[in-house]
Amino acid sequence: MAWMFSRVLMLVLGTSVAGGLGYWLGEWTGMPHLAAALAAATAVILMAVWDAARAHRLVHWLRGDQDDDAPRLGGLWGEMAYRVERGLRDRERRYERERQQLEQFLLAIEASPNGVILLDGQDHIQWCNVVAGDHFSLDPQRDKLQRITNLVRYPAFVSYLQNGNFQQPLTLTNTRAKSTLQVLVRDYGVGGESRKLVLSLDVTDRERNEAMRRDFVANVSHEIRTPLTVLAGFIETMASLQLTEAERRRVLHLMQQQTTRMQTLVGDLLTLAQLEGSPRPGADHWISLDPLLQRVGADAQALSNGRHELVCERHTGVELAGVETEILSAIANLVSNAVRYTPEGGRIELQWRWLPDNGGEISVIDNGPGIAREHLPRLTERFYRVDGSRSRDTGGTGLGLSIVKHVVQRHGGELRIESEPGKGSRFRLLFPAARVRLVDASAMGDEAAPAALAGGDDL
Ligand code: ADP
């Protein structure tokens, strides 16, 4: 309104001044006074109308959303339109840059393996990433602006957040999901308002590994302590008692047994450590299976000492891609177990078989005591034994099957165990097609007829 009034006032003043000026010009040029005054006033009115039209175009553009270019106007209005448009475009560019930065920042947090939640002063969720959503069963979109303590109801979490003492991280264990979260809260302020950053980390694997490490150390200590105690006892006996020659020899024999037990244990531990620490065997180093089968067969024969019927595949003509010592140790472990656990008179077979997918399997089959179903999934755990005393009495460390599993997995294969109490067991080492090839095709005939090794038969 004020704008309108000032325009009208300027128009009236302008025409009056122009009229007066025209009147004076008429007198000076000899033109009739009225005509000169009217011409001058008309010129002023026309200029004012043109000026108003330009102002109107600019105002019309300003009232809109300024998506299109500002009207191209000359003079002062044009300058004003240009400056306003430039200011607007600068601000839009700045806004767009900041929006992209924020988006990238949020994408980076989204890519983080940690859960991130931003809370306002009243613990309402301002933003959370998908990982945090997973950790706390939150929906990043739906649960925005909800108070977190209404949604995450672990009592430990609620009191941790309310206590405000965030020096130490909080560990949350979900026994049903068998998972553990570590939660860390940091206070930060925006514009005087205190806010919270909640970080969550899934430490389930770390905790499990830590528990396994503790168990492992406890088991190793236990395994070593027993023979050490026995040895210490014998040393004391020898030091304090006068022994006859026969007694001395017996004690020395028992001491040697305990030393061998510790040596075997340390050997198996080193094998395991080596398997875990070395890279996966390449698939381009081929070894012949037959010499391995023959060596294992001979060892089995020596261990059995004629107490079992041993049947061993001799000529397979097969080559496996992998590490010879590892594969030998895997087969030897299985065969030695079969000999140690199968009672006298039992039958043990070492077989090679091609699989339909061109992979192959080495199996060790016995008709020994078998293993109850509930033990099968745990057999490859370190130090897991079904019958502890039988295992120790026969020189077992409880690490054999764990080594076998490691070896076969490192070669891209798998260990499968089938067993039935009272009937016997079958341990299968499955190798993938990429690691198996047939070198000597003529040997296939022999494969169908494995040689029987009764007692001390030659291999
Ligand atoms: P160990 O040194 O005790 O033999 P392993 O890891 O080789 O340890 O075997 C784990 C357990 O599996 C053994 O303690 C034994 O109870 C059982 N087991 C392994 N092989 C056989 C088998 N052929 N027959 C019966 N039980 C077996």
Side-chain angles (χ1 to χ4, degrees), residues 95-329:
Y95 171 78
E96 181 57 19
R97 230 180 3 250
E98 278 165 12
R99 197 189 60 76
Q100 280 182 5
Q101 273 173 0
L102 179 68
E103 202 167 292
Q104 286 189 0
F105 178 69
L106 291 179
L107 280 175
I109 304 182
E110 196 63 84
S112 154
N114 295 348
V116 181
I117 307 176
L118 303 180
L119 300 179
D120 68 7
Q122 284 73 46
D123 293 342
H124 293 133
I125 299 170
Q126 296 293 299
W127 186 86
C128 85
N129 66 354
V130 176
V131 181
D134 252 19
H135 287 169
F136 295 104
S137 306
L138 297 172
D139 183 319
Q141 295 309 321
R142 192 197 56 209
D143 295 334
K144 230 178 225 176
L145 302 180
Q146 298 288 323
R147 193 187 285 271
I148 192 164
T149 44
N150 291 343
L151 303 171
V152 181
R153 291 178 167 273
Y154 295 103
F157 176 77
V158 175
S159 57
Y160 179 69
L161 211 61
Q162 286 167 353
N163 280 349
N165 179 4
F166 306 128
Q167 300 277 21
Q168 296 297 323
L170 168 76
T171 304
L172 287 178
T173 306
N174 184 338
T175 37
R176 212 170 335 129
K178 290 195 176 126
S179 62
T180 310
L181 276 186
Q182 197 169 68
V183 182
L184 230 144
V185 177
R186 287 287 173 264
D187 266 322
Y188 71 102
V190 175
E193 189 192 1
S194 146
R195 293 174 179 231
K196 291 187 189 87
L197 169 72
V198 181
L199 297 172
S200 56
L201 180 64
D202 188 337
V203 291
T204 312
D205 285 346
R206 203 171 78 190
E207 292 281 303
R208 195 179 299 143
N209 288 344
E210 187 53 31
M212 274 169 63
R213 195 191 62 79
R214 277 196 303 269
D215 283 357
F216 183 68
V217 172
N219 277 323
V220 172
S221 314
H222 176 76
E223 293 290 330
I224 288 182
R225 198 175 50 196
T226 316
L228 269 181
T229 314
V230 178
L231 271 179
F234 285 142
I235 290 170
E236 206 181 307
T237 308
M238 288 186 88
S240 55
L241 293 179
Q242 204 67 31
L243 300 177
T244 64
E245 183 54 26
E247 284 170 338
R248 202 181 66 86
R249 252 187 278 130
R250 208 182 93 76
V251 167
L252 281 176
H253 173 70
L254 291 172
M255 285 172 82
Q256 193 180 21
Q257 266 185 353
Q258 298 305 322
T259 323
T260 311
R261 191 172 149 187
M262 284 197 290
Q263 274 172 338
T264 318
L265 177 67
V266 171
D268 277 359
L269 285 172
L270 285 175
T271 307
L272 261 182
Q274 213 169 5
L275 288 175
E276 282 173 352
S278 51
R280 239 175 113 118
D284 52 352
H285 179 71
W286 292 90
I287 52 161
S288 181
L289 178 63
D290 293 345
L292 303 190
L293 296 179
Q294 284 159 23
R295 267 176 70 181
V296 172
D299 289 349
Q301 215 176 340
L303 190 65
S304 162
N305 200 17
R307 288 177 295 124
H308 305 95
E309 180 191 353
L310 300 174
V311 182
C312 174
E313 195 100 49
R314 285 187 301 171
H315 298 293
T316 61
V318 165
E319 282 190 335
L320 296 176
V323 181
E324 184 167 354
T325 48
E326 292 186 15
I327 296 175
L328 177 69
S329 125

Side-chain angles (χ1 to χ4, degrees), residues 337-338 340-341 366 369-371 379 384-387 391 396-402 425 427:
N337 277 355
R340 284 166 42 230
Y341 295 108
D366 66 60
I371 304 161
L379 283 186
Y384 188 83
R385 293 162 165 122
V386 178
D387 179 349
S391 159
T397 58
L399 295 173
L401 290 180
S402 168
S425 313
F427 291 79

Side-chain angles (χ1 to χ4, degrees), residues 69-81:
D69 290 343
R72 296 286 162 249
L73 311 165
L76 214 58
W77 293 117
E79 165 97 15
M80 194 186 293

